Every structure is written in C-alpha cells, then in structure tokens.
Amino acid sequence: GTQFIRFKLVDKNAAGYNHGGGIVAWKGEAEVPAGAFKYKSPCPPDGAHTYEWTATAQSAKNGGKLGTAKAKRKYPE
C-alpha cells in the first residue's frame, strides 16, 4: 500500500536544526533518484554529531503511515 515515502534527517545533538527531507512518490523503484528531495548535509560545527535518517512509508501524501525505518551514524567518524 505504499504510495509515498517521507524522508527526514535529524542531528541528534542539535535537534532544533532543520536538515530537511521531503516526500517522494513511490511505485516500487529500488532507488530514490538524486535530487528527489532537499536536505542539508551533515556538517557539525564542533566535533562528531549523530545523525538519523527516517524513512516513513505512507499510503497518502499527507498521512496514512504504514511503517518506519531509521538509520543512525556519527559524522565525522
């Protein structure tokens, strides 16, 4: 039932900073094309920060949450 995927990037050490993301229409593709949404790359001002991507499968553009996947990584390592 997934029709859209919502992407969001969060800096876990500076959660108030908006790194962006977006909603992409999905028709079963194996990859999301480059430039499908906008975000600000990780670039912590002081030491390593932990960043988390969230991808939420949705049945509608503005809702209908079906499931969520998350991935975290420190940058720089």
Side-chain angles (χ1 to χ4, degrees), residues 20-42:
I23 300 173
V24 177
W26 188 71
K27 295 179 180 150
E29 302 91 345
E31 295 181 11
V32 174
F37 59 89
K38 294 183 181 196
Y39 70 98
K40 295 175 187 163
S41 297

Side-chain angles (χ1 to χ4, degrees), residues 2-77:
T2 300
Q3 300 295 312
F4 297 89
I5 302 175
R6 177 184 300 269
F7 293 93
K8 185 172 183 175
L9 179 60
V10 173
D11 180 339
K12 301 301 274 183
N13 300 95
Y17 186 84
N18 183 10
H19 276 275
I23 300 173
V24 177
W26 188 71
K27 295 179 180 150
E29 302 91 345
E31 295 181 11
V32 174
F37 59 89
K38 294 183 181 196
Y39 70 98
K40 295 175 187 163
S41 297
C43 190
D46 56 350
H49 283 203
T50 299
Y51 293 86
E52 182 175 72
W53 273 109
T54 301
T56 304
Q58 299 179 177
S59 60
K61 188 169 186 175
N62 293 314
K65 179 179 172 180
L66 300 169
T68 301
K70 294 184 179 197
K72 280 192 227 179
R73 184 174 178 184
K74 276 196 181 254
Y75 182 85
E77 284 190 289

